[in-house]
Amino acid sequence: MGRIRGFASDNNSGVHSQVLAALSNVNNGHAVGYGGDEVTHRTIEKFREIFGAGTDVFFVYNGTGANVIAIQAFTSSYHSVICPQTAHINVDECGAPEKHAGCKLLPVQTANGKLTVANIAAHMHGIGFEHHSQPKMVSITQATELGTLYTIDEIKVIADYVHQHNMYLHMDGARISNAAAALNCTFKEMTVDAGVDVLSFGGTKNGLMYGEAVLFFNHNTEAIKYIRKQTAQLHSKMRYTAAQFEALLTNDLWRENAEHANKMAQKLAAKLKDIPQIQITQAVESNGVFAIVPPHIIEPLQNKFFFYVWDEYKSEVRWMCSFDTQEEDIDDFVELIKEKVAQT
Amino acid sequence: MGRIRGFASDNNSGVHSQVLAALSNVNNGHAVGYGGDEVTHRTIEKFREIFGAGTDVFFVYNGTGANVIAIQAFTSSYHSVICPQTAHINVDECGAPEKHAGCKLLPVQTANGKLTVANIAAHMHGIGFEHHSQPKMVSITQATELGTLYTIDEIKVIADYVHQHNMYLHMDGARISNAAAALNCTFKEMTVDAGVDVLSFGGTKNGLMYGEAVLFFNHNTEAIKYIRKQTAQLHSKMRYTAAQFEALLTNDLWRENAEHANKMAQKLAAKLKDIPQIQITQAVESNGVFAIVPPHIIEPLQNKFFFYVWDEYKSEVRWMCSFDTQEEDIDDFVELIKEKVAQT
Amino acid sequence: MGRIRGFASDNNSGVHSQVLAALSNVNNGHAVGYGGDEVTHRTIEKFREIFGAGTDVFFVYNGTGANVIAIQAFTSSYHSVICPQTAHINVDECGAPEKHAGCKLLPVQTANGKLTVANIAAHMHGIGFEHHSQPKMVSITQATELGTLYTIDEIKVIADYVHQHNMYLHMDGARISNAAAALNCTFKEMTVDAGVDVLSFGGTKNGLMYGEAVLFFNHNTEAIKYIRKQTAQLHSKMRYTAAQFEALLTNDLWRENAEHANKMAQKLAAKLKDIPQIQITQAVESNGVFAIVPPHIIEPLQNKFFFYVWDEYKSEVRWMCSFDTQEEDIDDFVELIKEKVAQT
Amino acid sequence: MGRIRGFASDNNSGVHSQVLAALSNVNNGHAVGYGGDEVTHRTIEKFREIFGAGTDVFFVYNGTGANVIAIQAFTSSYHSVICPQTAHINVDECGAPEKHAGCKLLPVQTANGKLTVANIAAHMHGIGFEHHSQPKMVSITQATELGTLYTIDEIKVIADYVHQHNMYLHMDGARISNAAAALNCTFKEMTVDAGVDVLSFGGTKNGLMYGEAVLFFNHNTEAIKYIRKQTAQLHSKMRYTAAQFEALLTNDLWRENAEHANKMAQKLAAKLKDIPQIQITQAVESNGVFAIVPPHIIEPLQNKFFFYVWDEYKSEVRWMCSFDTQEEDIDDFVELIKEKVAQT
């Protein structure tokens, strides 16, 4: 760890100074635990102002926790959840959805991390057939794990299909701020207004120390507090989770952070276009750049700027920008790439 | 929330200033996520110095997370876990052990929250009988949920019995610092040296913002990283969890905090002895005081100093002290008790 | 195995000749699998005639399967099920309820295997409190595992309490035929009319080769077919399960079998009363006799007539009669007891 | 149900007369329950003679039960199981593997229902990476759900790869008799000698009323009896399960039944080759024929001979033969096909 900023993940970044300040400000005497405090009430109201009065908010520790609570809320163990092959719930949670909900994931191959009605429909068979796990939820990620975005209209089309088939739409919004900033829309337009039923609202990747929120839109959420507790996602000193979100939602800090990260990715992508040996593989629509690079440059680059190889076979890498990525980080990184590319 | 400190729980307290400072200090550039950072490595080493080189350390978010990981580590779903009826895992985790491990808890009635070999033995039947969940773990809490303590010898006797019967000993150490401070011993003497196999090491109740650690003593822990991830207990920005523990373990801050909380409980208990209408029901051995009080005083007291009723039928209350309880909090509280008691 | 009949369990008995004949009769050409056949339809209708038109019937393989389907039908993993300590679901299913439903069992100490409202009420705390598994089901066994019976009025009182508290009443009827025969009532009076929500209807212990049925009374059972399949309780060649039940329900074979078993238990109990060294410990109300016996006679008796020790510490044994127990079995057994008792 | 035999499934067939006779023969007095009887011991020995002395045998009710016990035996919830997309465990058990074992299935697209090392290897990434379910088992079906067969050498190649990667090889042998008959080999050559670790040995589809067996080859199986009980797969009156297998293994009844079914499938396939509108889609290697047929003939055919559509979009059907399929069933069926095909 140190001053050097890499491109490994937006969760390698630190905590935004305003978030850190909020943690200090709230460190003041005793507060009722488990969410019974004023900061939590206040922050939940803030979420309701943003997402609408029918929104119920449950703070949790991390994204996996948020996702498995969302899944448990709407599925039984004989149900299935349709998601892209690349979904975090499918490949990055060590089977947590299957363990916690007992249900089956139905992964779909996609070119860009985005589901379409056509590939959801391909899994809609065996309905009512007791030998077959019954599709009950569709999960999309916004922005996707490949840095791409659903338009609001694309979400609406999926939501309509999902609801016509008596299912629920989950949005994994680990990077929802990056998406809203990129689409220049409100959170509400992209979620509840588009037909999302439950949202994992990400905080950690956009400047929080820890903490995500599960938001339910116009649903009975009586059971969720028990599910959250049983899933070991209920923070006793909840004010510290809530205070971070309050800071994030104040003066649109979320948008400022996300816009910056997105801008840095755009800058990186733009500069990479000048390097013929680098092939960008996904549309750069949020804060990540995916690229096929000459294999020999990977290790030398990683020694200076840490990042992950996305697909070893294709020599495809993932470079993530975050709220604290600096212009000179991009400049230095691209310089280094150019230098290493030249050293065949 | 505010400046007023109550007696509801040691988790209603704030974050110790040195812990908060540590969070700021570590907020510095990027760090590899999920525990690959220097602070985490350093803090794990610190734990190893304290508990011995055979100790493996897994940071998690909260106590329920720690406990269910410990249980999953050593049980299969056809096993059972023997614990006191009052154990946190039995009554305060919304069935998380049953859900996560699939196994059965065998609660034992105790007078003081402490297991003995005799009441463990009462559950040791049907061994090898496939119709019966097989006892595989014994879980004790130190300090107990009733504020009492096991002596080191008592732990040894239980550990010997447990190991003779091919079982594992788990210690829920949500308040292990209070116990070590009260017994004036090292953590090591009370745990690994006494035969504990796995420890939930508490931080939140002793001045941390969030965070517990699961410590395994001389066991193969290859599977634990997967269990932790799947249990949604793996923090991406791990340095912030580790930094808090580093602060807690530096200059024995843990002991200072715990001793203070214990001392406040002793002071409260001593003062209560002068009030004949108050009957202390458990030995005051750590940082909690349990007492039967006149029912009419409960609500007026709670309005000023928040706390929980432990047993409605007996009008028994629980008053917890914490690292930030002030002498004057005790004085004011006892004055108020006297006043309310007088108002029959 | 052989011609000698013991008193170990009613499941050590064979298959009633009419049931065996039914299996042969149905072995005729092809039939649609999984319950789509005529015999299954016909037998379900027979159950509906007996229990009422609102009855939904799901055939399964065994009692544990029936019980865990009933529990899964009405609980989520954050719920708890209140039952007697001695309940089969609690002590004889190797933790299957916890594994399959993820929920917590709350066992109640009873003198005679029977729950009362008072001991259910003792577990009705922490309602709405997210740290606590929420009671959602009460499970009673009729006849109980101790051979005792609930009167219809006792069931009604429990059912009323259960429903007032927004819970469901499950009856484990592994020996429901023995109960109905002993109370000289219909199945319907003792179950749906008394307020039972879901019944595990036992077949195996009353002359079937295998097979139980889960009966739901006036509930939405859309999900049950999936739960049954996922619980590995869906028989492909279902006609063979159904045909057995058809035989059992034809000409009240169930009652004939059960009455005989009950009568044999009465005969055994009556004869034992003449032996002062034998102390019958439970009211003999169905087909089992529980007795404290001189320890030295147990093994010699078992060598001739197999049975199980119920409580080693008390030298208490369980002697079960079944549909095929013969008068001379009782006579011979009691003679042997007398002989062994005399050999101090 | 009736005398007419269809082609829906080998589990639509009845019970072989010798199996039915065995059930009668064993219906004789009392027997110790849960497998403590002579017939069970004898039949387990028979399996050991066939599969080798290191074989442990656990009788269960059905194939889903057998499969989920096999999976639970060798996996934890953070593991994954690699299998063909078409595997019964993946598409026909309503998510039972995910529910019972908590683990993830990794389905592989195949042309013919058969795994190869290449498509197993495609899933062998993220090993040691805690975010990723860890592959621990490979499951193959013999004969496959598409009626195709692995050669013994193909199994060996897979087994070698599996073991080199510290995994276990499960064989779903719901139709293992058809496979052994078709390959003209012993059970042992195709399983334990080829490197299979655990086998679901099918009975129901080859003339039994119900019953499968889980066979472990040279493994510690101490835990299996608890897993079987908890999975609700332990039959109390076990002699009736065992007796059926005893009949099946006596005088190679299994081979006689399977050879006949295979021969009927060959006959059907041979006759279909004369009908140009029918396109057989899979190699006919065991007892099933898969074919693309003119859509308009499906319903008329089904009205007379029941069968299932395999793939609606392709108009592909599955026709299964069984031990009781008669030569004239084939003749009549093909006549009807010809007739219906002609009626465009």
Side-chain angles (χ1 to χ4, degrees):
Chain A
M1 195 199 65
R3 295 204 168 272
I4 289 169
R5 288 167 295 271
F7 298 91
S9 174
D10 25 16
N11 66 33
N12 281 18
S13 65
V15 178
H16 191 278
S17 57
Q18 291 177 32
V19 172
L20 209 57
L23 288 169
S24 281
N25 292 340
V26 83
N27 193 37
N28 184 3
H30 278 204
V32 177
Y34 303 110
D37 65 279
E38 283 173 34
V39 189
T40 303
H41 291 156
R42 217 158 61 202
T43 308
I44 287 175
E45 277 315 302
K46 219 170 183 87
F47 269 109
R48 287 203 174 118
E49 285 164 22
I50 294 171
F51 284 93
T55 305
D56 286 338
V57 181
F58 295 85
F59 296 116
V60 299
Y61 288 114
N62 68 3
T64 299
N67 289 337
V68 298
I69 288 171
I71 294 171
Q72 288 177 81
F74 288 122
T75 64
S76 292
S77 59
Y78 51 87
H79 287 137
S80 58
V81 178
I82 300 170
C83 63
Q85 161 68 28
T86 46
H88 196 269
I89 59 169
N90 189 46
V91 290
D92 284 311
E93 301 188 351
C94 200
E98 288 91 343
K99 170 71 183 283
H100 290 258
C103 66
K104 178 185 275 297
L105 296 195
L106 295 176
V108 171
Q109 297 292 341
T110 73
N112 57 3
K114 291 167 62 179
L115 284 185
T116 62
V117 164
N119 46 37
I120 297 169
H123 273 303
M124 296 301 294
H125 50 81
I127 308 303
F129 183 59
E130 70 206 283
H131 303 263
H132 202 79
S133 295
Q134 298 293 300
K136 197 66 183 175
M137 183 177 256
V138 168
S139 180
I140 60 177
T141 309
Q142 174 82 321
T144 75
E145 291 79 3
L146 297 175
T148 54
L149 290 178
Y150 293 89
T151 65
I152 291 175
D153 280 347
E154 286 172 337
I155 296 169
K156 280 183 180 165
V157 168
I158 291 174
D160 285 349
Y161 181 87
V162 163
H163 295 145
Q164 280 157 21
H165 290 78
N166 197 25
M167 301 192 291
Y168 297 94
L169 181 59
H170 170 242
M171 179 181 279
D172 181 345
R175 296 186 180 96
I176 191 172
S177 296
N178 302 93
L183 291 176
N184 197 24
C185 69
T186 65
F187 285 134
K188 187 161 179 287
E189 288 164 340
M190 204 171 63
T191 56
V192 54
D193 290 355
V196 170
D197 293 291
V198 57
L199 169 67
S200 299
F201 184 98
T204 313
K205 288 186 165 78
N206 197 28
L208 264 51
M209 182 180 292
Y210 69 90
E212 316 280 301
V214 195
L215 274 59
F216 292 87
F217 305 122
N218 306 307
H219 284 288
N220 182 337
T221 59
E222 269 179 40
I224 309 304
K225 66 178 181 176
Y226 305 110
I227 293 174
R228 175 173 63 174
K229 173 63 197 172
Q230 196 180 38
T231 307
Q233 291 293 311
L234 178 63
H235 190 193
S236 55
K237 294 179 169 178
M238 186 70 90
R239 56 175 151 165
Y240 297 96
T241 308
Q244 296 181 71
F245 277 106
E246 189 176 39
L248 195 70
L249 298 180
T250 298
N251 297 328
D252 283 352
L253 175 62
W254 66 267
R255 189 184 290 272
E256 184 186 319
N257 283 354
E259 271 178 355
H260 178 80
N262 292 351
K263 194 178 133 199
M264 291 299 98
Q266 288 299 340
K267 176 174 172 151
L268 176 57
K271 288 187 151 236
L272 292 172
K273 277 172 190 148
D274 299 337
I275 311 175
Q277 296 90 337
I278 306 286
Q279 177 199 345
I280 293 180
T281 51
Q282 294 289 343
V284 179
E285 297 177 345
S286 55
N287 63 321
V289 178
F290 289 73
I292 291 176
V293 304
H296 78 275
I297 72 166
I298 292 179
E299 206 180 311
L301 287 179
Q302 284 175 325
N303 290 339
K304 200 83 191 287
F305 296 88
F306 190 56
F307 61 84
Y308 292 102
V309 174
W310 186 254
D311 185 327
E312 221 177 317
Y313 301 100
K314 295 200 273 180
S315 192
E316 187 180 19
V317 300
R318 183 187 79 159
W319 292 326
M320 299 303 296
C321 298
S322 68
F323 78 93
D324 61 355
T325 303
Q326 302 298 314
E327 302 260 0
E328 61 263 32
D329 298 336
I330 305 289
D331 295 335
D332 295 353
F333 187 48
V334 173
E335 277 316 295
L336 190 66
I337 293 172
K338 285 179 176 163
E339 181 190 313
K340 296 301 172 190
V341 158
Q343 298 165 354
T344 324
Chain B
M1 194 201 67
R3 296 200 168 274
I4 288 168
R5 288 167 295 270
F7 299 92
S9 172
D10 24 16
N11 65 32
N12 281 17
S13 66
V15 179
H16 191 276
S17 57
Q18 293 177 32
V19 172
L20 208 57
L23 287 170
S24 280
N25 292 340
V26 84
N27 193 38
N28 186 3
H30 278 204
V32 178
Y34 303 110
D37 65 281
E38 285 173 32
V39 190
T40 302
H41 291 155
R42 214 160 62 204
T43 308
I44 287 174
E45 276 317 302
K46 217 169 184 92
F47 268 108
R48 287 206 173 113
E49 286 163 24
I50 293 171
F51 284 93
T55 304
D56 287 338
V57 181
F58 296 86
F59 296 116
V60 297
Y61 288 114
N62 67 4
T64 297
N67 289 336
V68 298
I69 288 171
I71 294 171
Q72 287 177 82
F74 288 123
T75 64
S76 292
S77 59
Y78 52 87
H79 287 138
S80 58
V81 179
I82 300 170
C83 64
Q85 160 68 27
T86 46
H88 196 270
I89 57 169
N90 189 45
V91 289
D92 285 312
E93 302 187 351
C94 200
E98 288 90 343
K99 169 72 184 284
H100 290 259
C103 68
K104 179 185 273 295
L105 297 194
L106 295 175
V108 172
Q109 296 291 341
T110 73
N112 57 3
K114 292 167 62 179
L115 284 185
T116 63
V117 164
N119 46 37
I120 297 169
H123 272 303
M124 297 300 293
H125 51 80
I127 308 303
F129 182 61
E130 71 207 280
H131 304 264
H132 202 80
S133 294
Q134 298 292 300
K136 197 65 183 177
M137 182 176 258
V138 168
S139 180
I140 60 177
T141 309
Q142 176 78 325
T144 73
E145 290 80 2
L146 297 175
T148 55
L149 290 176
Y150 292 89
T151 66
I152 292 175
D153 280 348
E154 286 172 337
I155 296 168
K156 281 183 177 164
V157 169
I158 290 173
D160 286 350
Y161 180 87
V162 162
H163 295 146
Q164 281 158 21
H165 290 79
N166 197 26
M167 301 191 291
Y168 298 94
L169 182 58
H170 169 243
M171 180 181 279
D172 180 346
R175 296 187 181 96
I176 192 172
S177 296
N178 301 92
L183 291 175
N184 198 23
C185 69
T186 65
F187 284 134
K188 187 162 181 286
E189 289 165 340
M190 204 170 62
T191 58
V192 56
D193 291 355
V196 170
D197 294 289
V198 58
L199 169 67
S200 299
F201 184 97
T204 313
K205 289 186 165 75
N206 198 28
L208 264 51
M209 183 180 292
Y210 70 89
E212 317 279 303
V214 194
L215 275 59
F216 291 87
F217 305 121
N218 307 307
H219 283 288
N220 181 336
T221 59
E222 267 178 42
I224 309 304
K225 66 178 181 177
Y226 305 111
I227 294 175
R228 176 174 60 176
K229 174 62 197 173
Q230 196 180 39
T231 308
Q233 291 293 311
L234 178 62
H235 190 191
S236 55
K237 296 181 169 177
M238 185 71 91
R239 55 174 151 166
Y240 297 95
T241 308
Q244 295 182 71
F245 277 106
E246 189 175 40
L248 195 70
L249 298 180
T250 298
N251 297 328
D252 283 354
L253 176 61
W254 67 267
R255 190 183 289 276
E256 184 185 318
N257 282 356
E259 270 178 354
H260 178 78
N262 292 351
K263 194 177 133 200
M264 291 299 98
Q266 288 298 339
K267 176 173 172 152
L268 175 58
K271 287 190 152 232
L272 291 172
K273 276 174 189 146
D274 299 339
I275 309 175
Q277 296 90 335
I278 307 285
Q279 177 199 343
I280 293 179
T281 52
Q282 294 289 342
V284 179
E285 297 177 347
S286 55
N287 63 322
V289 178
F290 288 74
I292 292 175
V293 305
H296 77 276
I297 72 167
I298 292 179
E299 206 182 309
L301 288 178
Q302 283 175 325
N303 289 340
K304 200 83 191 287
F305 297 89
F306 190 55
F307 62 84
Y308 292 102
V309 174
W310 186 254
D311 184 327
E312 218 178 318
Y313 301 100
K314 294 201 272 180
S315 192
E316 188 180 18
V317 299
R318 182 186 82 158
W319 292 326
M320 300 302 295
C321 298
S322 69
F323 80 92
D324 62 354
T325 305
Q326 303 298 313
E327 301 260 358
E328 61 263 33
D329 298 336
I330 305 289
D331 295 337
D332 294 352
F333 187 47
V334 173
E335 277 317 294
L336 189 67
I337 293 173
K338 283 180 176 163
E339 183 190 311
K340 295 303 174 190
V341 158
Q343 298 165 355
T344 326
Chain C
M1 194 200 65
R3 297 202 167 275
I4 289 169
R5 288 166 295 268
F7 299 91
S9 173
D10 23 16
N11 65 31
N12 282 18
S13 66
V15 178
H16 191 277
S17 57
Q18 291 177 32
V19 173
L20 209 57
L23 288 169
S24 280
N25 292 340
V26 84
N27 192 39
N28 186 2
H30 278 205
V32 178
Y34 305 110
D37 65 281
E38 284 173 32
V39 190
T40 302
H41 291 157
R42 213 161 62 204
T43 309
I44 287 175
E45 277 316 302
K46 218 169 183 91
F47 269 108
R48 287 203 173 118
E49 285 163 22
I50 294 171
F51 284 93
T55 303
D56 286 338
V57 181
F58 295 85
F59 296 116
V60 298
Y61 287 115
N62 68 2
T64 297
N67 289 336
V68 300
I69 288 171
I71 294 172
Q72 288 178 82
F74 288 122
T75 64
S76 291
S77 59
Y78 51 87
H79 287 137
S80 58
V81 178
I82 300 170
C83 64
Q85 161 65 29
T86 45
H88 196 270
I89 59 169
N90 189 46
V91 291
D92 285 311
E93 301 186 353
C94 200
E98 287 92 343
K99 169 72 182 286
H100 291 257
C103 68
K104 179 185 275 295
L105 297 195
L106 295 175
V108 172
Q109 297 292 341
T110 72
N112 56 4
K114 291 167 63 179
L115 284 184
T116 63
V117 163
N119 46 37
I120 296 169
H123 273 304
M124 296 301 294
H125 51 82
I127 307 305
F129 182 60
E130 70 206 282
H131 303 263
H132 203 79
S133 295
Q134 300 293 300
K136 197 65 182 176
M137 184 177 255
V138 167
S139 180
I140 60 177
T141 310
Q142 175 82 321
T144 75
E145 290 81 0
L146 297 175
T148 54
L149 289 177
Y150 293 88
T151 65
I152 292 175
D153 280 346
E154 286 172 336
I155 296 169
K156 282 183 177 165
V157 169
I158 290 174
D160 285 349
Y161 180 87
V162 162
H163 295 145
Q164 280 157 22
H165 290 79
N166 197 25
M167 302 192 291
Y168 298 93
L169 182 59
H170 169 242
M171 179 181 279
D172 180 345
R175 294 186 181 95
I176 192 173
S177 296
N178 301 94
L183 291 175
N184 197 24
C185 68
T186 65
F187 285 134
K188 188 162 179 283
E189 289 165 339
M190 205 171 61
T191 58
V192 55
D193 291 354
V196 170
D197 293 290
V198 56
L199 168 68
S200 299
F201 184 98
T204 314
K205 289 186 164 76
N206 198 28
L208 264 51
M209 183 181 290
Y210 70 90
E212 316 280 300
V214 195
L215 275 58
F216 293 86
F217 304 121
N218 307 306
H219 283 287
N220 181 335
T221 58
E222 270 179 38
I224 307 305
K225 67 178 180 177
Y226 305 109
I227 295 175
R228 175 172 64 175
K229 173 63 197 172
Q230 195 180 41
T231 307
Q233 291 294 311
L234 177 63
H235 190 193
S236 55
K237 295 180 170 177
M238 186 70 91
R239 58 175 149 166
Y240 298 95
T241 308
Q244 296 181 71
F245 277 105
E246 188 174 45
L248 194 70
L249 298 179
T250 298
N251 296 328
D252 284 352
L253 176 61
W254 66 268
R255 189 183 290 276
E256 182 185 321
N257 283 356
E259 270 178 354
H260 178 79
N262 292 351
K263 192 178 134 200
M264 290 299 99
Q266 288 298 341
K267 174 172 174 155
L268 175 58
K271 286 186 154 236
L272 291 172
K273 277 175 190 144
D274 300 337
I275 310 175
Q277 296 91 336
I278 307 285
Q279 176 199 344
I280 293 179
T281 53
Q282 294 290 343
V284 179
E285 297 176 348
S286 54
N287 63 321
V289 177
F290 288 73
I292 291 175
V293 305
H296 77 273
I297 73 166
I298 292 178
E299 206 181 310
L301 287 179
Q302 283 175 325
N303 289 340
K304 201 82 191 286
F305 296 88
F306 190 54
F307 60 85
Y308 292 103
V309 174
W310 185 254
D311 185 328
E312 220 177 317
Y313 301 100
K314 294 200 274 183
S315 192
E316 187 178 17
V317 300
R318 182 186 80 159
W319 291 326
M320 298 304 294
C321 297
S322 67
F323 79 90
D324 62 355
T325 304
Q326 303 298 313
E327 302 260 357
E328 61 263 33
D329 297 334
I330 305 289
D331 295 336
D332 294 352
F333 187 47
V334 173
E335 277 316 294
L336 190 66
I337 292 172
K338 284 181 176 163
E339 182 190 314
K340 295 302 173 188
V341 158
Q343 298 165 355
T344 324
Chain D
M1 195 200 65
R3 294 202 167 274
I4 290 170
R5 288 166 295 271
F7 299 92
S9 173
D10 24 15
N11 65 33
N12 282 17
S13 66
V15 180
H16 191 276
S17 59
Q18 291 177 33
V19 173
L20 208 57
L23 287 170
S24 280
N25 293 340
V26 84
N27 192 37
N28 185 2
H30 278 205
V32 177
Y34 304 109
D37 65 281
E38 283 174 33
V39 189
T40 302
H41 291 157
R42 215 160 62 204
T43 309
I44 287 175
E45 277 317 302
K46 216 165 186 95
F47 269 107
R48 287 203 172 115
E49 285 163 23
I50 295 171
F51 284 92
T55 304
D56 287 337
V57 181
F58 296 85
F59 296 116
V60 298
Y61 288 114
N62 68 2
T64 297
N67 289 337
V68 299
I69 288 171
I71 294 172
Q72 288 178 82
F74 288 122
T75 64
S76 292
S77 58
Y78 52 89
H79 287 136
S80 58
V81 179
I82 299 169
C83 63
Q85 161 66 28
T86 45
H88 196 270
I89 58 169
N90 189 46
V91 290
D92 285 313
E93 302 186 352
C94 199
E98 289 91 342
K99 168 72 183 282
H100 289 259
C103 66
K104 179 185 275 295
L105 298 194
L106 295 175
V108 173
Q109 297 291 343
T110 72
N112 57 3
K114 291 168 63 179
L115 284 184
T116 63
V117 164
N119 46 36
I120 297 170
H123 273 303
M124 296 301 294
H125 52 81
I127 309 303
F129 182 60
E130 70 207 281
H131 303 263
H132 203 80
S133 295
Q134 299 293 301
K136 197 66 184 175
M137 183 176 256
V138 168
S139 181
I140 60 178
T141 309
Q142 177 80 324
T144 74
E145 290 80 0
L146 298 176
T148 55
L149 288 178
Y150 293 89
T151 66
I152 291 175
D153 280 346
E154 287 172 335
I155 297 169
K156 281 183 177 163
V157 169
I158 290 174
D160 286 349
Y161 180 87
V162 162
H163 295 145
Q164 281 157 21
H165 290 78
N166 198 25
M167 301 191 292
Y168 298 93
L169 182 58
H170 170 242
M171 180 181 278
D172 180 344
R175 295 187 182 96
I176 192 171
S177 296
N178 301 91
L183 291 175
N184 197 22
C185 69
T186 66
F187 285 133
K188 187 162 180 286
E189 289 165 339
M190 203 172 60
T191 58
V192 57
D193 291 355
V196 170
D197 293 290
V198 56
L199 168 68
S200 299
F201 184 98
T204 314
K205 289 185 164 76
N206 197 29
L208 265 51
M209 182 182 293
Y210 70 91
E212 316 280 301
V214 194
L215 273 60
F216 292 86
F217 304 122
N218 307 306
H219 284 288
N220 182 336
T221 58
E222 268 178 41
I224 309 305
K225 66 179 180 176
Y226 305 111
I227 293 174
R228 175 172 62 176
K229 174 61 197 174
Q230 196 180 37
T231 306
Q233 291 294 313
L234 177 63
H235 190 192
S236 55
K237 294 180 169 177
M238 186 70 90
R239 56 174 151 163
Y240 297 94
T241 308
Q244 295 180 72
F245 277 105
E246 190 174 42
L248 194 71
L249 298 179
T250 297
N251 296 328
D252 285 352
L253 175 61
W254 67 266
R255 190 183 289 276
E256 184 185 320
N257 284 354
E259 272 179 352
H260 177 78
N262 293 351
K263 193 177 134 201
M264 291 299 99
Q266 289 298 341
K267 174 173 174 153
L268 175 58
K271 288 187 152 234
L272 291 172
K273 275 170 192 150
D274 300 337
I275 311 176
Q277 296 91 334
I278 306 284
Q279 175 199 346
I280 293 180
T281 53
Q282 295 288 342
V284 179
E285 297 178 347
S286 54
N287 62 321
V289 177
F290 288 73
I292 291 176
V293 304
H296 78 274
I297 72 166
I298 293 179
E299 206 181 309
L301 287 178
Q302 283 175 328
N303 289 339
K304 199 84 192 283
F305 295 88
F306 190 55
F307 61 85
Y308 292 102
V309 174
W310 186 254
D311 185 327
E312 218 178 318
Y313 301 100
K314 295 200 272 181
S315 192
E316 188 179 18
V317 301
R318 183 187 79 161
W319 293 325
M320 299 302 296
C321 298
S322 68
F323 79 92
D324 61 355
T325 303
Q326 303 298 313
E327 302 260 359
E328 61 263 33
D329 298 334
I330 305 290
D331 295 336
D332 294 351
F333 186 48
V334 174
E335 278 316 295
L336 190 65
I337 293 172
K338 284 179 177 165
E339 181 190 316
K340 295 301 172 190
V341 158
Q343 300 166 351
T344 326

